[in-house]
Amino acid sequence: MQCPEPNETDRMRSEIERLRIKAEREESDRAWLDSVIEASPAGMIVVDGSGQMLRVNGRVEQLFGYSREELAGKSVDMLLPASARRQHLAERAGYMAEPTARPMGAGRDLYGVRKDGTQIRVEIGLSPLLAGGQTLVIASIIDISERVRAEEERGRLTEELRAAIGARDDFLAIASHELRTPLAALALQLASLQRAVRGLGAETKVVGWADKAVRNAGRLARLIDDLLDVSRIQAGKLQLHLEELDLADLVREVADRMAEEARLAGCALVVHLATGATERWDKLRVEQVLANLISNAIKYGAGKPIEVRTAVTADGARITVRDQGIGIGRDDLTRIFGRFERASAARTFRGLGLGLYITREIVEAHGGRIAAESAPGEGATFTVELPRRPPQT
Ligand SMILES: Nc1ncnc2c1ncn2[C@@H]1O[C@H](COP(=O)(O)OP(=O)(O)O)[C@@H](O)[C@H]1O
Ligand SMILES: [Mg+2]
């Protein structure tokens, strides 16, 4: 028997050493891979080409309620609803023929079945893995049942909210419309009563009551008209009736009509009117814009003078209404043009917070813009730009 040459022995030794290191490295690789799989927040299942589960992590045990011993070596089919198994089989064959990475959530709506028979909604990503000459697949699984439930709940709430808003808008439209008719009759009757009372030479106190009743009926009618307008705007039914009008005439008319109200509040109403602002606008609606802005100036104007100005501009006209009253804080300057938005103490100043909303809608329906400039205690200036309309509209 021949002993191996000394250098032969050395070669065998170093070969054994190499194999030992390789085995050690493989062992450490496997341990590392194991800890990565275990640490994953997603459920991880390693399956072979026939769908047999070779390895699962702790998250899978939690998701499906089985221990890993119960799963090892079994077909992954046991985690699928019976109805999905046939399709899964076909898909698996297709996938194994051409295994590629498939991102989470790329599939259809997927369900998993827990040990207790309940179903969970899952999202699955697949990654092929070449190991020991065969193709394995790592399936990463997350439970999206909560997310799906939350999405469905959100959808349901949105639907309910939409229905509630629809019901509210319908109510607003019907109620304001129904209130309008008896109120118009009441206003007429009160006006007749007022005339009669005056004609009879009744006591001053009684005449005062009649006057107040007429004023209150007017105030009520304006509030209801505002509600009607809001429901028209909401329904997209704010229609303009355009006609040639002279803005200066219109401002003068409105200012005259409101002079008494301004006088009662101690405000001098000063107008500066430019000639030549004659365009096709909606007379009643522009009148409403002026009345809203002037009545706000009177209401919030602290008894100081109010200035209403018109000017002809390059593409139409500008109206400014300026007061020297309580003013508006910076944060409220745009908010006040919203529906039911108010910036002042409800107890001191009454109102629904609709005037500026309707005003803005009217101005914008004319293709114009409205803006407010103010600071608390320094009065407010509202500027309306009304563009010229093409003759055919
Ligand atoms: N000229 C003004 N001066 C100060 N604050 C104003 C003025 N005009 C409007 N505001 C503020 O804007 C809010 C919205 O106005 P508006 O829509 O006309 O509602 P309302 O007059 O019913 O309160 C008011 O509640 C008030 O706080
Ligand atoms: Mg108002």
Side-chain angles (χ1 to χ4, degrees):
M1 186 174 151
Q2 212 181 346
C3 281
E5 299 276 313
N7 59 348
E8 182 81 354
T9 322
D10 282 353
R11 240 204 354 266
M12 280 173 70
R13 251 196 223 116
S14 74
E15 179 63 15
I16 292 170
E17 182 58 12
R18 199 182 63 76
L19 287 174
R20 195 185 60 76
I21 292 174
K22 183 166 177 258
E24 229 169 47
R25 190 171 299 150
E26 276 176 2
E27 179 57 34
S28 112
D29 278 358
R30 198 170 305 123
W32 189 76
L33 183 67
D34 276 355
S35 51
V36 168
I37 289 182
E38 261 335 293
S40 164
M44 303 272 251
I45 304 180
V46 180
V47 295
D48 67 10
S50 68
Q52 205 183 72
M53 291 182 276
L54 305 180
R55 174 126 183 38
V56 304
N57 68 356
R59 185 74 189 116
V60 168
E61 295 181 304
Q62 288 169 3
L63 283 177
F64 291 93
Y66 291 101
S67 70
R68 63 187 74 198
E69 291 73 31
E70 287 175 295
L71 296 174
K74 307 268 174 53
S75 166
V76 74
D77 281 359
M78 68 188 279
L79 303 178
L80 305 173
S83 57
R85 282 181 199 156
R86 187 196 296 265
Q87 192 177 355
H88 181 249
L89 197 65
E91 279 180 7
R92 185 164 64 225
Y95 183 83
M96 293 313 293
E98 211 176 327
T100 49
R102 187 189 292 170
M104 306 291 294
R108 324 143 263 128
D109 293 348
L110 296 172
Y111 292 86
V113 180
R114 293 171 47 84
K115 187 178 182 180
D116 63 12
T118 54
Q119 295 205 354
I120 51 175
R121 275 293 289 274
V122 292
E123 226 166 65
I124 299 183
L126 300 176
S127 327
L129 176 75
L130 258 176
Q134 64 169 328
T135 304
L136 306 179
V137 179
I138 302 185
S140 316
I141 304 164
I142 53 172
D143 181 355
I144 57 165
S145 308
E146 259 321 301
R147 194 174 83 201
V148 170
R149 237 193 311 279
E151 274 164 13
E152 284 168 358
E153 177 69 2
R154 198 167 328 127
R156 202 177 54 72
L157 286 178
T158 311
E159 211 26 68
E160 271 178 18
L161 195 64
R162 195 169 295 139
I165 290 171
R168 184 203 62 189
D169 290 350
D170 287 352
F171 173 77
L172 195 63
I174 294 167
S176 42
H177 200 264
E178 286 303 307
L179 288 167
R180 193 87 190 62
T181 319
L183 186 64
L186 183 68
L188 281 177
Q189 289 149 5
L190 284 175
S192 312
L193 208 59
Q194 183 189 36
R195 268 197 308 279
V197 164
R198 287 204 164 144
L200 288 174
E203 272 181 72
T204 333
K205 195 170 66 178
V206 179
V207 173
W209 288 340
D211 290 350
K212 270 197 189 130
V214 168
R215 267 206 304 279
N216 277 323
R219 195 174 293 158
L220 198 52
R222 279 193 297 279
L223 287 173
I224 288 173
D225 282 347
D226 278 356
L227 289 176
L228 257 177
D229 276 344
V230 169
S231 80
R232 274 194 202 108
I233 291 167
Q234 227 101 272
K237 287 185 189 154
L238 187 75
Q239 280 169 357
L240 297 184
H241 303 284
L242 300 179
E243 61 183 303
E244 189 90 352
L245 72 90
D246 182 340
L247 191 60
D249 284 350
L250 194 64
V251 173
R252 207 173 288 121
E253 211 180 296
V254 177
D256 281 350
R257 207 187 318 136
M258 301 188 76
E260 176 65 3
E261 193 183 327
R263 197 187 58 76
L264 287 175
C267 298
L269 198 53
V270 187
V271 292
H272 299 280
L273 303 174
T275 50
T278 304
E279 297 298 339
R280 285 166 49 77
W281 290 308
D282 184 320
K283 185 159 185 267
L284 289 179
R285 292 302 184 182
V286 174
E287 211 177 298
Q288 202 177 347
V289 166
L290 289 165
N292 280 341
L293 294 179
I294 296 173
S295 76
N296 277 349
I298 294 172
K299 182 151 82 167
Y300 304 106
K304 310 250 179 67
I306 295 165
E307 186 188 285
V308 184
R309 192 179 278 275
T310 65
V312 178
T313 61
D315 65 344
R318 178 181 309 129
I319 307 166
T320 22
V321 178
R322 185 191 306 262
D323 66 63
Q324 299 168 34
I326 62 169
I328 304 160
R330 199 185 155 78
D331 293 346
D332 295 324
L333 278 178
T334 47
R335 184 175 66 80
I336 50 173
F337 293 100
R339 204 161 37 118
F340 298 116
E341 294 287 0
R342 310 195 64 215
S344 43
R347 267 168 222 237
T348 325
F349 301 100
R350 283 179 302 174
L352 291 178
L354 293 177
L356 287 181
Y357 168 68
I358 295 168
T359 300
R360 177 175 59 82
E361 290 287 337
I362 293 172
V363 171
E364 287 177 359
H366 279 86
R369 285 147 62 83
I370 181 168
E373 252 179 276
S374 181
E378 297 188 5
T381 304
F382 286 83
T383 308
V384 173
E385 303 280 352
L386 276 185
R388 183 171 296 127
R389 311 276 301 190
Q392 69 276 16
T393 55

